[in-house]
Amino acid sequence: MKKITQLFGFALLLTATLVVLSILGLILFDIVLKGAPVFNWKFLTHFPQKGMTEGGIFPAIFGTTLVTLISTVFAMPLGIGCAVYLNEYAPDNKFTRLIRASVRNLAGVPSIVYGLFGLSIFIQGMGIPPSLLTAGCTLGLLTLPFIIATTEEALRNVPRLTREGALALGATRWECVYSVVLPSAVPGILTGLILALSRAAGETAPILFTGVALYTRYLPASPLDEFMALPYHLYILSTQHHAIEQVRPLAYATAMTLLLVVFLLNFTAFRIRATYKR
Amino acid sequence: MEKIKMDIQALDLFFGKKQVLKNIHLGIGAGKITALIGPSGCGKSTLLRSLNRMHDLHPDARLTGKIMLDDHNILHGNTNVVHLRRRVGMVFQKPNPFPMTVADNVAYGMKINGLHDKPEVRRRIEQCLRSSFLWEEVSGELDKSALDLSGGQQQRLCIARAIAVEPEIILYDEPCSALDPISTSKIEELILSLREKFTQVIVTHNMQQAQRVADYTAFMYLGEVIEFGETQQIFQSPRHELTKNYVAGHFG
Ligand SMILES: Nc1ncnc2c1ncn2[C@@H]1O[C@H](COP(=O)(O)OP(=O)(O)OP(=O)(O)O)[C@@H](O)[C@H]1O
Ligand SMILES: [Mg+2]
């Protein structure tokens, strides 16, 4: 009897897994099937032409890369600094717990809210024009709670004995954190950072009001220029374009590119984790 | 008795409400090796970690009494703990090399002490590795990760790392408990070779080890030092009933 229940349970779990996998596979298959015909080197390296009905998506790739980089430059020091403070310095009291809970909650805030927040702070508040900079900072805010959480986890995983080893040699707390704890935590921090990047690269809502453009004739020349981005371009091609049916293959190829970027980032994170796991 | 390097007077230690050390009096002889023995949980590690104020990391640890290092009470609030730990080094139960190269491990203490002169650092790395009987084995692998050394080599590296900051006292908490017999005897030989140069305190569960290396032995039980004396006396003619039973192996 027990055996039968177990078998039944196993079959159920297996079915669930297979269903999920086949849905995923179906989506991927569909995208690749419809996108592949126009997905080529020219598509990746050229500007859109004739009202986006032809040509490539180079400016969108360029813009997404830059805006993601800016978001990292903005969020990395803040996030790591905050995590180091919380994990290494903050006393274990109500206030610290409140900060931690807030950070966790921030991770659950819908991304459109970040977009509006970025709009009101960076653009209306500070008067910076909608641009790579403002969009990058907004995306940075979005990934911040995620970076803080993964960095804290990586720091927590550094053995107590390693810290004590440094302190017992007469290291100050900062010397211990800086020269022993942080280097030990680098693989974990890096993994979290890249996963955060891949999330930022795929977001549309936060950049919607903060700098992304429907179409730009030139590549952004400074951080204060507007830019094109992959997820937004995809959104335009698939819902807002005047000749939707005609641009369908382009939309699919754009989706393919975006997936590829996200996949590459995740794969890198995976490799880093695998390399450093002992 | 000869010169006392560290004098523990009426030391009590509480973790929260729980008293773990009770009225400890102990004089640690300068240049000598002192062993702390006793059954598991009697407070050996706790006492050892008081001597370089490792308990500062523990918010609910409370110490009263005095620990005189030369003429200064290290439990006094104005003690510079960082400076204290440079004078009182520590080797842990499990080898804990830093995830860096062998050379950087030894150099770590010198660097945080402000020594950056490269040739001088190199020279002292070699000297410390020689003193810890490791030079022959690792001289060709100074730039390899310390984590790739064997457990015994890692532990000797930790000792090299400790003596590199030229402390006056070295504390060992069961330094051989994770090692095989051959590595163990190498460490014992090493500790004996550092006698006179450093004042050493070693916690051990191994009574043969205490007899092989220690000049003095303290037997602890339930947070108290029951008996303290020359190692030979403690093992050959213990005065206290508890000591007698423990060294005879009746409990542990
Ligand atoms: N951080 C702590 N908080 C509360 N109690 C503690 C703490 N550390 C140790 N103790 C208690 O103090 C007592 C002594 O512990 P200690 O580690 O000093 O024993 P020990 O003699 O070193 O034992 P062993 O031989 O097993 O290493 C134990 O009862 C232990 O439960
Ligand atoms: Mg112990």
Side-chain angles (χ1 to χ4, degrees):
Chain A
M1 189 58 217
K2 219 170 177 181
K3 236 186 182 147
I4 293 178
T5 340
Q6 204 177 11
L7 218 65
F8 182 72
F10 179 71
L12 213 69
L13 292 178
L14 189 69
T15 319
T17 313
L18 286 179
V19 168
V20 171
L21 276 182
S22 45
I23 293 176
L24 196 68
L26 215 65
I27 296 176
L28 276 178
F29 181 75
D30 186 50
I31 291 179
V32 172
L33 189 74
K34 294 179 179 157
V38 293
F39 184 84
N40 54 32
W41 186 244
K42 188 162 172 261
F43 178 72
L44 295 178
T45 53
H46 280 71
F47 269 66
Q49 281 152 7
K50 306 200 176 139
M52 295 192 206
T53 55
E54 276 174 38
I57 53 167
F58 181 66
I61 297 177
F62 187 79
T64 287
T65 311
L66 277 189
V67 82
T68 318
L69 275 180
I70 291 178
S71 81
T72 318
V73 169
F74 174 73
M76 189 172 93
L78 273 182
I80 294 179
C82 179
V84 166
Y85 170 75
L86 282 179
N87 202 58
E88 307 291 327
Y89 288 93
D92 185 22
N93 60 21
K94 271 217 177 80
F95 182 63
T96 311
R97 280 194 289 273
L98 188 73
I99 297 183
R100 272 216 182 86
S102 317
V103 169
R104 256 199 303 278
N105 285 330
L106 274 183
V109 171
S111 54
I112 186 74
V113 176
Y114 280 98
L116 291 169
F117 183 76
L119 174 68
S120 69
I121 290 287
F122 300 120
I123 296 170
Q124 294 172 345
M126 300 184 184
I128 310 172
S131 57
L132 276 172
L133 184 66
T134 51
C137 291
T138 309
L139 279 178
L141 287 180
L142 174 92
T143 54
L144 209 46
F146 192 73
I147 294 177
I148 294 171
T150 50
T151 305
E152 260 213 279
E153 160 130 29
L155 293 174
R156 258 199 304 277
N157 284 338
V158 177
R160 189 191 158 88
L161 203 58
T162 306
R163 298 162 198 272
E164 290 190 345
L167 294 173
L169 288 171
T172 61
R173 209 150 169 186
W174 169 242
E175 284 164 340
C176 173
V177 168
Y178 175 77
S179 57
V180 175
V181 176
L182 273 178
S184 312
V186 160
I189 297 177
L190 219 53
T191 313
L193 214 61
I194 295 177
L195 291 178
L197 270 184
S198 85
R199 163 130 199 243
E203 282 288 350
T204 318
I207 56 177
L208 199 54
F209 321 117
T210 54
V212 79
L214 178 70
Y215 174 74
T216 56
R217 225 130 72 77
Y218 303 101
L219 293 180
S222 93
L224 293 179
D225 285 346
E226 291 199 328
F227 63 101
M228 292 176 69
L230 281 174
Y232 187 64
H233 191 64
L234 177 57
Y235 166 72
I236 298 296
L237 287 186
S238 47
T239 63
Q240 308 291 307
H241 201 275
H242 58 86
I244 281 204
E245 285 313 321
Q246 195 189 348
V247 298
R248 210 54 108 189
L250 291 177
Y252 275 102
T254 309
M256 229 174 111
T257 314
L258 188 55
L259 281 178
L260 212 64
V261 170
V262 172
F263 173 78
L264 275 179
L265 285 172
N266 279 277
F267 182 70
T268 315
F270 172 78
R271 283 302 299 271
I272 292 176
R273 203 158 27 188
T275 313
Y276 284 93
K277 202 159 226 164
R278 340 181 101 257
Chain B
M1 210 160 133
E2 69 291 301
K3 188 172 176 289
I4 298 294
K5 181 72 186 170
M6 210 173 215
D7 200 11
I8 305 167
Q9 300 166 6
L11 179 70
D12 287 318
L13 185 147
F14 297 81
F15 282 121
K17 289 223 162 59
K18 181 175 168 192
Q19 184 163 16
V20 175
L21 296 179
K22 293 169 197 156
N23 193 26
I24 306 270
H25 287 267
L26 202 62
I28 313 272
K32 298 288 183 261
I33 301 173
T34 305
L36 302 178
I37 62 169
S40 193
C42 68
K44 305 180 296 294
S45 301
T46 306
L47 175 58
L48 195 74
R49 293 163 66 86
S50 309
L51 305 184
N52 66 347
R53 295 231 344 221
M54 250 355 193
H55 294 305
D56 284 18
L57 305 175
H58 243 282
D60 59 343
R62 195 161 53 77
L63 294 92
T64 59
K66 284 184 183 170
I67 301 178
M68 306 299 295
L69 171 58
D70 294 335
D71 289 321
H72 177 74
N73 178 12
I74 64 166
L75 296 184
H76 197 281
N78 68 7
T79 304
N80 180 339
V81 180
V82 166
H83 185 68
L84 168 71
R85 295 198 185 124
R86 287 175 194 187
R87 294 177 66 191
V88 186
M90 185 164 219
V91 175
F92 297 80
Q93 191 162 353
K94 275 203 326 214
N96 59 345
F98 302 134
M100 336 167 163
T101 66
V102 172
D104 286 343
N105 262 278
V106 184
Y108 185 82
M110 303 178 213
K111 293 210 171 123
I112 57 175
N113 273 305
L115 181 64
H116 290 291
D117 176 36
K118 278 230 172 84
E120 173 67 6
V121 169
R122 269 290 184 213
R123 195 186 62 72
R124 276 174 56 179
I125 289 175
E126 175 172 346
Q127 181 198 332
C128 293
L129 287 172
R130 279 190 195 282
S131 324
S132 53
F133 305 150
L134 204 53
W135 180 251
E136 247 93 274
E137 291 161 57
V138 302
S139 59
E141 309 181 342
L142 292 182
D143 293 320
K144 281 209 191 141
S145 167
L147 301 179
D148 293 335
L149 299 180
S150 77
Q153 290 174 325
Q154 289 188 3
Q155 194 63 304
R156 275 178 283 150
L157 180 65
C158 291
I159 297 178
R161 183 175 77 183
I163 59 184
V165 295
E166 303 183 325
E168 296 155 46
I169 303 177
I170 306 177
L171 312 171
Y172 304 86
D173 193 352
E174 302 186 46
C176 304
S177 64
L179 304 181
D180 61 276
I182 295 182
S183 304
T184 300
S185 68
K186 279 188 187 154
I187 302 260
E188 288 178 10
E189 196 188 334
L190 169 54
I191 290 175
L192 280 170
S193 78
L194 299 175
R195 204 170 161 272
E196 301 303 337
K197 193 150 185 262
F198 301 99
T199 300
Q200 300 178 93
V201 185
I202 176 170
V203 169
T204 178
H205 268 285
N206 180 333
M207 287 190 251
Q208 278 75 36
Q209 182 168 67
Q211 293 179 68
R212 282 191 298 261
V213 303
D215 300 293
Y216 298 95
T217 296
F219 170 66
M220 293 181 67
Y221 188 70
L222 295 180
E224 291 180 81
V225 172
I226 303 293
E227 191 166 349
F228 175 57
E230 292 189 10
T231 300
Q232 198 167 3
Q233 179 258 309
I234 295 287
F235 284 95
Q236 306 307 328
S237 48
R239 297 201 180 93
H240 202 285
E241 200 60 29
L242 281 166
T243 320
K244 210 173 280 175
N245 287 334
Y246 183 76
V247 300
H250 291 325
F251 67 98

